[in-house]
Amino acid sequence: MAVHKKFNALGRGLDALISTEGVRTQGSSTINEISIDQIEANPNQPRREFDEEALQELANSIREIGIIQPITLRQVAENRFQIIAGERRWRASQITGLKSIPAYIRTAKDESVMEMALVENIQREDLNPVEIALAYEHLLEDSSMTQERVSERVGKSRAAIANYLRLLKLPAQVQMALQKKEIDMGHAKALLSLDSPSLQVKLFNEIKKYGYTVRKVEEMVQMLKNGETLESGNKKISQKQQMPEEFNMLKDKLSKFFNTKIQMSCSPKGKGKISISFSDEDELLRIMSIFDNLKDKEQ
């Protein structure tokens, strides 16, 4: 008998990934009662951390009304089963002291288990972005899938998968903060626009300290990419770039022409800023007169 449960959050449910034909069960039932002690967690489960408070709440619910949705298992040895989906329910059941738990037993190839767990978790309780990224990386490395194939299997666009994988290039402390929800995915994506890991960490520390919004961080990143210097609190942050020699020569020429200090910044894309320094009002008037003379000559 086939078991059909539809989950459409991703456009493709578990039924599209797990064959439910020919499920082996006890008697005529499609659900087994499996001993808690015979069940083991999936070592490749994408979820790495479980909120203790949330688990306790789930355990309290199980005490009152029992397990509404059976977990999904595959048999790995005689009287041994591994979780495909439902580890939170299994853990919460242990807290309540249950001896057995209702479960579907599915036949699945090893390389399919990770994607099943990934889809199930995304549909039921969001993984944090780093866990999702690690899960995608695992699928790509261990199953030899392409990004396009992973996209088809989990119902996400290639661009979305690529964006998650890019998170793994962030400095460790940024990834940890993202995993602990100290910053949002938007913050992380903005930081990825910066090429320098040290600059990413500097701006990340400012985000934590002052609680900057994603939009604010995007503006700050753009300023840095344009070669501008940021002021955050009492700190100045800049993206130091080694300017081409011709730019340095131009800077020296301008400094001699105006007879004052000239500051120049330039982004890798060639966009930058020129600053002319003056020490007092008289020097400002002198510089302005130079501009006036240049204007008169043009006319």
Side-chain angles (χ1 to χ4, degrees):
M1 179 177 178
V3 180
H4 295 287
K5 296 291 289 183
K6 296 294 185 183
F7 302 100
N8 297 317
L10 296 179
R12 293 174 60 84
L14 285 177
D15 285 343
L17 297 179
I18 308 174
S19 172
T20 57
E21 298 296 333
V23 176
R24 292 185 300 165
T25 59
Q26 296 173 355
S28 59
S29 173
T30 58
I31 303 174
N32 292 308
E33 279 288 334
I34 302 297
S35 171
I36 291 283
D37 295 336
Q38 294 178 352
I39 301 171
E40 62 186 43
N42 175 6
N44 293 323
Q45 150 76 279
R47 180 173 297 283
R48 305 296 182 184
E49 297 181 5
F50 294 84
D51 183 87
E52 293 298 328
E53 185 176 344
L55 276 178
Q56 188 59 58
E57 290 178 359
L58 180 56
N60 294 339
S61 174
I62 290 174
R63 284 194 186 96
E64 287 188 28
I65 60 177
I67 295 176
I68 297 175
Q69 175 63 45
I71 68 173
T72 306
L73 306 174
R74 68 179 184 125
Q75 190 163 2
V76 292
E78 186 175 358
N79 296 323
R80 295 301 301 172
F81 302 88
Q82 189 178 87
I83 297 173
I84 290 177
E87 185 169 341
R88 290 182 68 252
R89 280 163 279 163
W90 174 62
R91 288 176 178 269
S93 297
Q94 290 177 302
I95 294 174
T96 66
L98 286 180
K99 300 300 182 183
S100 62
I101 186 172
Y104 296 120
I105 300 177
R106 304 280 172 86
T107 302
K109 296 179 181 179
D110 288 344
E111 60 266 23
S112 300
V113 174
M114 184 64 175
E115 60 188 286
M116 294 174 192
L118 175 62
V119 172
E120 203 274 352
N121 275 278
I122 290 175
Q123 290 176 346
R124 290 167 180 263
E125 181 181 353
D126 287 344
L127 298 170
N128 68 61
V130 174
E131 287 174 323
I132 293 176
L134 289 170
Y136 285 142
E137 184 182 57
H138 181 90
L139 280 174
L140 289 166
E141 291 182 353
D142 289 10
S143 66
S144 300
M145 286 187 185
T146 62
Q147 283 192 25
E148 183 175 1
R149 182 59 176 156
V150 171
S151 170
E152 293 173 354
R153 295 294 276 172
V154 301
K156 289 284 187 180
S157 69
R158 287 182 63 184
I161 292 172
N163 283 335
Y164 276 111
L165 291 171
R166 289 177 65 225
L167 297 176
L168 301 179
K169 297 180 180 180
L170 286 167
Q173 54 264 61
V174 181
Q175 291 189 42
M176 290 176 65
L178 185 59
Q179 186 164 298
K180 295 176 182 177
K181 299 181 179 179
E182 295 174 352
I183 61 172
D184 295 332
M185 179 80 165
H187 291 116
K189 289 175 68 176
L191 291 175
L192 279 167
S193 298
L194 297 172
D195 295 327
S196 167
S198 62
L199 195 57
Q200 290 172 344
V201 171
K202 286 180 182 178
L203 190 51
F204 160 70
N205 288 332
E206 296 302 293
I207 295 170
K208 286 189 63 178
K209 187 173 182 179
Y210 297 105
Y212 291 136
T213 64
V214 171
R215 182 175 293 275
K216 176 64 175 177
V217 174
E218 288 173 344
E219 293 173 356
M220 297 169 78
V221 166
Q222 191 58 52
M223 289 176 66
L224 287 169
K225 291 174 70 175
N226 290 340
E228 300 178 46
T229 298
L230 291 179
E231 290 192 8
S232 177
N234 298 322
K235 185 180 293 184
K236 290 186 177 182
I237 305 174
S238 62
Q239 181 165 242
K240 295 181 180 179
Q241 297 288 340
Q242 188 68 34
M243 291 195 300
E245 184 58 32
E246 56 267 28
F247 279 78
N248 288 320
M249 291 172 63
L250 177 59
K251 176 182 172 183
D252 291 339
K253 279 188 176 183
L254 287 172
S255 181
K256 290 177 181 178
F257 181 79
F258 288 103
N259 193 26
T260 188
K261 184 178 179 182
I262 299 293
Q263 292 181 325
M264 182 182 291
S265 60
C266 181
S267 73
K269 294 182 179 180
K271 187 175 181 179
K273 181 175 69 174
I274 296 173
S275 300
I276 303 175
S277 301
F278 55 90
S279 57
D280 52 35
E281 188 176 340
D282 289 339
E283 188 167 18
L284 174 59
L285 291 173
R286 180 183 65 78
I287 293 171
M288 292 304 298
S289 68
I290 295 175
F291 280 110
D292 289 339
N293 289 335
L294 289 174
K295 186 176 181 181
D296 290 341
K297 288 181 180 180
E298 288 181 356
Q299 297 173 349

